[in-house]
Amino acid sequence: MLTAAAVAQGFQPVVLPLGIHGVALASGFIGTGIATVDIDNDGDLDVAISGVPGAQFQLFRNDGGMQFTDITFGCGLGMCQEVICMSAADIDNDGNVDLFVGNHFTLSQIFMNQGGGIFVEQGVTRGMTNVESNYSACFGDYDRDGWLDLYIGNRQSAVTGFPAANKLYRNTGDGYFSDVTAAAGVGGNRLALVSTWMDYDEDGWPDILVLNDKGVQWGGNEVYHNNADGTFTAVQAQIGAGWAIDGMGVDYLDVFNDGGVDFYCTDVPIDHLFQVWNPITNSYDNATATYNMFGSGVGWACKFLDYDNDGWQDLQIVHSQAPNYFYRNPGAPASSNVAWPNVAPSLGMDQFLWQYTNAHGDFDNDGRVDVLQRYDTGPIVSPEGVVLLQNTVAGGNWLKFKTRGTVSNRDGYGARIEVTTSSLHQRQWVRSGTGYLSHSDTRVHFGLGTDVSADVVRVTWPLGQVQYLTNVAANQIVELVEPELKLTAPATVGGTTSLEMSIPGDEGLSYLIVLSLSNVPSVLPGGVVLPIQIDGLTSLTMIPGNPILPGAVGVLSATGQAMTTLTIPPLPWLAGLTFYATGMTADAPTFPVLRTVFPSALSITVQ
């Protein structure tokens, strides 16, 4: 049930018996995080809430239709320390999302999801050593090995009270971490408040953006460029991103649907900071004044969301000493310099309550992004610690995507999703660490306006696989599953195994699976790159019915699957031989050469 008093407003508080109630106000120094995440894989967003030191973490299960059940008892999250931030990721690729909690001057925590709403804290066991004042945590696969690594932003040292170094933890497999900060060169030593993985130059290797508090005194914002060899280089000065501000919150995407990775940062007055990528200079321009996006008061959390589903991402901002803002994207090209209006009052989003953080997500799966507000103690207080604001705007059509990696990390963090309709080409990324202190819905939401379908959805997975979906009907949540080519059992001399290929989105298309003795790439006419050399083995396995790979040619099933047996001749000298497999699909004339090609060859060693 919604309140009836504000029917003209776009966001309305959800009241009993629906929504989340009975949560105490937070009392952190500058905020206390929450996490919105699907803990039980039932397709909707549940909520984990931290509180004051010594209080119980609270866990609310989403039962659909804005109905929540308190499942705190027995969930295993235990009592809060002095919690600052919360984040979430499937760090062991088991299909269950785990929770990270950053604390003040005590060990950061990792709660492993056991399934069924049960968590076990295993931070120390899994290599967590951070004891600083931990304000941010973001997950990304910086070395592209399929496991999510963790970057932690610290504000102060537990020993000195002065700025503390940040930390990079490499996932060594199955969710176990090793501190590689020194070797990677990403420690910094400033008052970090928020950090996120952001591939600013779109070279396929995730970079790190860090926003720092008290930048004039301790040093401005930082950008670490990923050198693709396990090390990073600080490049903020070269790309115009090293502003010395009081950086609090951040979010990024292709704001103007024109290419480039743009980002917005909150700050103290007199302004916030809007950084727009300039493709001519390959650097960032400060566009805050250009679009009149100064904000007001002390800014904290910020988040891009297309609240009216018109195809243009808007921006919501939390202020602690002024009304919250909500900038509407006017849908104009960047070059037109059209100011963004603050529409918070008309949407019911101009709250003037003591607040630092919130989380965004579509809690009722109706295609409209809702907002979960987290309130603190302070001069102007809310009667409730948590308020769920339901988006009731009568907007346009939409699409929402949930990513599931099979070769890349399970969450698909870092994947770029592009949606092309008859009127727009939009781009977003699966992001971690954006906002401030809290974890929002990682499903990627696109407004489509009046378009009733997407002509093409193009997904670039973190390990480089490009996947296409065509003619995707609007107003649905689509699970994107990464294409995969795998061997079902070891290849042995004189034995038979199988190669299985899965390419969701290519259902009913002709496919080809081939072998080669070399994984040196070949370039086909039209610029398509195969991850193998075309040789005699390739020619042999392309012949229909050949004895080695008889099912090399065919048509993908209605679920995008194909399988062929692989037989190794009974020749002892083949033991130890390594060869390579790859697959592809054709979809002419839409794709003149090939539609899907695996970017890396599957290595097979004969046993």
Side-chain angles (χ1 to χ4, degrees):
M1 176 180 293
L2 302 175
T3 56
V7 293
Q9 295 180 333
F11 288 83
Q12 301 183 28
V14 181
V15 299
L16 286 169
L18 305 181
I20 297 173
H21 304 277
V23 176
L25 292 167
S27 64
F29 165 53
I30 45 177
T32 304
I34 57 178
T36 59
V37 65
D38 184 2
I39 64 165
D40 50 6
N41 294 318
D42 65 351
D44 50 27
L45 290 174
D46 312 299
V47 180
I49 301 174
S50 60
V52 300
Q56 175 74 53
F57 278 99
Q58 292 176 275
L59 188 60
F60 292 87
R61 186 185 67 225
N62 189 338
D63 297 322
M66 292 294 185
Q67 178 72 55
F68 292 82
T69 299
D70 187 341
I71 58 170
T72 298
F73 180 76
C75 73
L77 294 179
M79 301 297 180
C80 298
Q81 300 181 40
E82 191 170 347
V83 175
I84 303 175
C85 71
M86 295 187 73
S87 189
D90 183 358
I91 66 171
D92 56 355
N93 288 343
D94 70 347
N96 295 314
V97 67
D98 311 300
L99 291 175
F100 176 90
V101 175
N103 297 305
H104 177 65
F105 293 166
T106 54
L107 274 168
S108 301
Q109 297 170 286
I110 299 174
F111 291 93
M112 300 301 297
N113 189 338
Q114 309 298 300
I118 305 298
F119 292 84
V120 175
E121 204 287 313
Q122 297 181 350
V124 173
T125 301
R126 292 182 175 272
M128 180 51 55
T129 59
N130 189 67
V131 293
E132 315 296 6
S133 191
N134 180 188
Y135 272 79
S136 68
C138 56
F139 290 92
D141 186 4
Y142 81 91
D143 53 359
R144 294 175 48 164
D145 64 353
W147 297 98
L148 282 174
D149 312 301
L150 172 63
Y151 189 75
I152 286 177
N154 289 316
R155 190 175 189 272
Q156 292 168 278
S157 165
V159 176
T160 68
F162 289 102
N166 303 327
K167 291 186 178 180
L168 174 61
Y169 288 91
R170 179 177 179 267
N171 192 330
T172 58
D174 291 326
Y176 291 85
F177 294 97
S178 174
D179 185 343
V180 295
T181 311
V186 294
N189 201 29
R190 308 178 185 187
L191 296 174
L193 284 185
V194 65
S195 57
T196 188
W197 296 94
M198 183 185 78
D199 185 7
Y200 76 90
D201 57 354
E202 300 191 67
D203 65 353
W205 293 86
D207 313 302
I208 305 171
L209 170 65
V210 185
L211 266 65
N212 294 300
D213 195 9
K214 307 296 185 290
V216 173
Q217 180 180 2
W218 298 107
N221 297 337
E222 299 162 284
V223 177
Y224 292 102
H225 179 261
N226 191 332
N227 299 323
D229 61 1
T231 68
F232 293 76
T233 301
V235 296
Q236 59 270 6
Q238 297 94 304
I239 65 172
W243 289 86
I245 64 173
D246 290 357
M248 322 296 199
V250 70
D251 198 7
Y252 70 90
L253 44 74
D254 183 358
V255 174
F256 296 98
N257 295 331
D258 60 357
V261 186
D262 314 308
F263 66 95
Y264 191 90
C265 315
T266 55
D267 190 9
V268 298
I270 53 174
D271 61 8
H272 299 328
L273 177 63
F274 185 26
Q275 299 243 254
V276 176
W277 182 252
N278 186 327
I280 298 175
T281 62
N282 286 323
S283 63
Y284 282 99
D285 294 334
N286 180 355
T288 315
T290 303
Y291 305 104
N292 193 33
M293 298 175 69
F294 294 105
S296 174
V298 180
W300 298 97
C302 63
K303 198 73 176 172
F304 285 108
L305 68 154
D306 185 357
Y307 78 90
D308 55 359
N309 287 334
D310 66 350
W312 298 89
Q313 294 286 323
D314 314 295
L315 178 67
Q316 198 250 342
I317 301 172
V318 167
H319 292 126
S320 65
Q321 298 173 27
N324 292 345
Y325 268 34
F326 210 120
Y327 283 114
R328 184 177 188 274
N329 189 332
S335 58
S336 66
N337 298 339
V338 176
W340 290 35
N342 173 31
V343 296
S346 65
L347 293 176
M349 293 297 288
D350 57 339
Q351 292 83 7
F352 190 3
L353 299 167
W354 213 251
Q355 181 182 10
Y356 298 101
T357 187
N358 61 10
H360 294 72
D362 186 356
F363 289 93
D364 52 0
N365 288 335
D366 69 347
R368 292 174 288 193
V369 180
D370 312 301
V371 180
L372 187 66
Q373 305 279 57
R374 180 60 164 132
Y375 293 113
D376 273 66
T377 54
I380 307 172
V381 300
S382 164
E384 291 197 79
V386 166
V387 175
L388 177 56
L389 300 176
Q390 184 178 27
N391 184 345
T392 63
V393 174
N397 297 314
W398 56 276
L399 278 171
K400 194 184 306 292
F401 299 97
K402 176 179 174 59
T403 49
R404 176 157 64 88
T406 57
V407 182
S408 302
N409 68 85
R410 174 79 180 210
D411 291 320
Y413 279 136
R416 182 179 68 222
I417 304 175
E418 303 172 63
V419 173
T420 302
T421 65
S422 60
S423 54
L424 283 175
H425 177 77
Q426 303 180 58
R427 307 187 316 147
Q428 291 190 60
W429 289 259
V430 184
R431 311 191 286 282
S432 173
T434 56
Y436 172 68
L437 302 185
S438 295
H439 180 87
S440 290
D441 188 358
T442 54
R443 297 176 299 180
V444 183
H445 179 96
F446 292 87
L448 302 184
T450 59
D451 290 314
V452 297
S453 66
D455 299 331
V456 178
V457 175
R458 186 179 194 264
V459 187
T460 304
W461 290 89
L463 298 192
Q465 178 69 60
V466 178
Q467 179 182 15
Y468 297 93
L469 283 72
T470 55
N471 301 316
V472 182
N475 304 324
Q476 62 169 319
I477 300 172
V478 178
E479 184 179 37
L480 298 171
V481 181
E482 185 179 20
E484 183 180 19
L485 177 65
K486 64 181 180 181
L487 196 66
T488 61
T492 59
V493 172
T496 298
T497 182
S498 297
L499 279 169
E500 290 185 353
M501 185 167 69
S502 174
I503 309 180
D506 285 11
E507 296 84 0
L509 295 180
S510 298
Y511 74 83
L512 177 64
I513 300 175
V514 295
L515 305 180
S516 173
L517 294 173
S518 171
N519 64 345
V520 175
S522 302
V523 181
L524 301 179
V528 173
V529 178
L530 291 182
I532 60 164
Q533 277 286 335
I534 299 174
D535 56 18
L537 182 58
T538 310
S539 300
L540 172 61
T541 53
M542 289 174 64
I543 300 173
N546 71 84
I548 296 176
L549 205 66
V553 179
V555 175
L556 291 179
S557 72
T559 57
Q561 314 292 315
M563 184 177 71
T564 175
T565 57
L566 170 64
T567 300
I568 307 300
L571 303 172
W573 57 267
L574 290 175
L577 174 71
T578 296
F579 60 97
Y580 304 90
T582 191
M584 60 210 78
T585 62
D587 186 18
T590 306
F591 295 81
V593 183
L594 294 171
R595 171 165 165 151
T596 298
V597 179
F598 287 91
S600 301
L602 176 66
S603 176
I604 302 172
T605 300
V606 180
Q607 299 181 11

